Amino acid sequence: MQALQFNAKLSPHENLRLIKTAVPQISGPTDVLIKVAFAGLCGTDLHILEGKFKNCSDKFVTIGHEFSGVVEEIGAQVQGLNRGDKVGVDPNRPCQSCKFCRRGQVNHCQNGGTRDAVGIFRDGGMAGFCLVPVDQVHLLPSSLSLEQGVLCEPLSCLLHGWKRLESALGGILPGARVLITGAGIVGNLWVSMFHYHGYRNITLSEPKEGRREIVKGLDTGCTVLTPVELGAQEDGVDDEQDGFNIIVECSGYPPALQEAISMSGRKAVVVIFGCAPTGSPMNLYPEEVFRKELTIVGCLVNPNTYSEALSLAANMGDRYLNFDKLGVKVFKLTEYEKALSSLKAGEISKAVFHLTSSI
Ligand SMILES: [Zn+2]
Ligand SMILES: [Zn+2]
């Protein structure tokens, strides 16, 4: 089978390779061998390939932590899954025995979880087949396509952020002024999520024209602006009275977050969702946080939300989870260089590989 592998310790010119390798074999009683259908490339992957994400394996690993596929073979003790089932994979497997896991805070697991995630530390989905323990494999609802299945991992992270936002707000506030910064796939999914929950006063800021056009096509009535246009619009607004009530930072660019916070209203909740490069600073004015009573919320991956994200994805359906509308483009694995350059250029919101053609 073909596999796209990365080695984060090598320089950006030599850290990615497409190789031919053997199909992995079931070796344990709880293993599931998945014939991969679709695998998504996300912002975290780009950060890894640019060498901005330090917490990675130091040998070649098959990339891809967002993928869907069909069960090819199961270990002797696997129950509830059969050959031919459509499945999605939660890349994170908490150890269940560290201090954080014992408190139910599995996304902070000190042994497993993000520290040995599939597609970052263990071989992931950008290959013809992937071997995963059964507890990370989820049956897709029958109404979800394999294409939509690839969005369940980012949606599970978004759902964690949504829960953190709702608890900070004390409920759903459909009348709130919402600002989203960054229109990659997560920004687009956040716009969709707010619209799905009845929010109609949504503004999105994005510097790349191609990406702004994609957001307009989501048909949510969202106001789409460049960062400069956003600044000009908010110049005429008394931020304390009428500033944004909810801000979701999806660009991973600290200056965008700093600017957004200056546009927040009293009691606003600021969700830091985009993954900024390690060590990148910004200015924060404690007096402003104090005076406005801001709540700043971080969101780390998807603790126990994958399963619920499948139901959410099924309910959102094609109205929201449509590749064309979301700006998701499908590539063959051999086109990985083209996929990366389209993603970096902002011509698409996400690159997804169709693997069934690459075995
Ligand atoms: Zn991701
Ligand atoms: Zn743990």
Side-chain angles (χ1 to χ4, degrees):
M1 64 174 190
Q2 286 189 327
L4 185 63
Q5 300 193 323
F6 77 101
N7 181 333
K9 301 294 175 218
L10 299 179
S11 73
H13 302 292
E14 50 181 11
N15 63 3
L16 200 57
R17 69 180 189 190
L18 184 64
I19 58 157
K20 277 215 180 288
T21 182
V23 173
Q25 301 292 306
I26 297 267
S27 58
T30 58
D31 282 350
V32 177
L33 181 65
I34 297 169
K35 184 177 182 183
V36 181
F38 294 94
L41 198 61
C42 93
T44 307
D45 296 321
L46 284 187
H47 285 153
I48 290 171
L49 295 175
E50 286 165 3
K52 292 179 184 166
F53 193 81
K54 300 296 171 210
N55 187 18
C56 301
S57 169
D58 55 4
K59 50 185 200 305
F60 273 101
V61 171
T62 301
I63 197 166
H65 61 273
E66 306 173 356
F67 61 101
S68 63
V70 173
V71 174
E72 176 78 9
E73 201 183 334
I74 54 174
Q77 287 174 15
V78 171
Q79 294 185 335
L81 284 177
N82 294 296
R83 188 181 154 89
D85 283 343
K86 287 189 300 176
V87 293
V89 171
D90 182 345
N92 304 310
R93 187 183 201 217
C95 77
Q96 305 296 359
S97 59
C98 73
K99 178 171 89 172
F100 295 97
C101 282
R102 285 171 193 271
R103 291 174 183 164
Q105 299 158 340
V106 293
N107 53 331
H108 295 278
C109 178
Q110 295 298 290
N111 303 314
T114 56
R115 291 169 183 254
D116 80 334
V118 170
I120 296 176
F121 291 92
R122 289 185 276 150
D123 285 338
M126 290 196 191
F129 294 86
C130 184
L131 196 62
V132 187
V134 65
D135 50 7
Q136 289 179 266
V137 183
H138 295 252
L139 204 54
L140 295 183
S142 59
S143 66
L144 269 194
S145 65
L146 285 164
E147 283 94 332
Q148 290 168 327
V150 92
L151 297 175
C152 290
E153 193 277 340
L155 262 185
S156 70
C157 298
L158 211 125
L159 187 55
H160 175 53
W162 185 262
K163 286 167 185 262
R164 305 256 299 148
L165 170 64
E166 260 192 26
S167 74
L169 287 172
I172 294 183
L173 293 181
R177 276 193 87 204
V178 179
L179 173 64
I180 296 164
T181 49
I185 188 68
V186 292
N188 296 355
L189 288 174
W190 272 102
V191 170
S192 303
M193 187 80 161
F194 278 111
H195 191 268
Y196 173 73
H197 282 90
Y199 288 75
R200 293 295 180 267
N201 194 346
I202 310 167
T203 300
L204 180 136
S205 157
E206 161 64 47
K208 290 182 173 139
E209 188 185 354
R211 291 195 162 174
R212 288 197 303 276
E213 288 308 310
I214 294 168
V215 183
K216 289 175 190 165
L218 292 175
D219 196 21
T220 59
C222 171
T223 303
V224 185
L225 303 173
T226 66
V228 173
E229 288 167 345
L230 174 68
Q233 174 187 285
E234 295 305 303
D235 257 358
V237 174
D238 175 352
D239 55 289
E240 290 210 11
Q241 293 287 335
D242 302 314
F244 291 104
N245 309 107
I246 298 171
I247 293 167
V248 184
E249 205 301 297
C250 300
S251 72
Y253 182 56
L257 175 60
Q258 183 180 320
E259 184 75 6
I261 289 176
S262 73
M263 301 170 180
S264 61
R266 285 182 177 261
K267 302 293 290 182
V269 178
V270 180
V271 179
I272 302 181
F273 195 82
C275 178
T278 309
S280 288
M282 58 169 259
N283 291 326
L284 180 69
Y285 301 95
E287 184 276 334
E288 185 178 16
V289 178
F290 167 85
R291 172 171 41 87
K292 292 181 175 174
E293 278 200 332
L294 301 182
T295 306
I296 299 177
V297 172
C299 305
L300 179 66
V301 300
N302 59 347
N304 298 324
T305 52
Y306 194 97
S307 169
E308 217 178 319
L310 296 173
S311 306
L312 174 67
N315 294 348
M316 291 176 87
D318 204 50
R319 163 67 182 90
Y320 296 103
L321 303 183
N322 176 298
F323 271 18
D324 289 338
K325 278 189 174 178
L326 287 168
V328 179
K329 187 160 181 215
V330 178
F331 296 87
K332 288 181 194 163
L333 202 53
T334 47
E335 298 175 309
Y336 71 92
E337 281 168 331
K338 193 169 137 200
L340 279 168
S341 61
S342 301
L343 196 57
K344 282 183 195 158
E347 293 159 6
I348 56 176
S349 71
K350 185 175 196 68
V352 164
F353 295 101
H354 188 200
L355 271 301
T356 317
S357 56
S358 312
I359 297 167

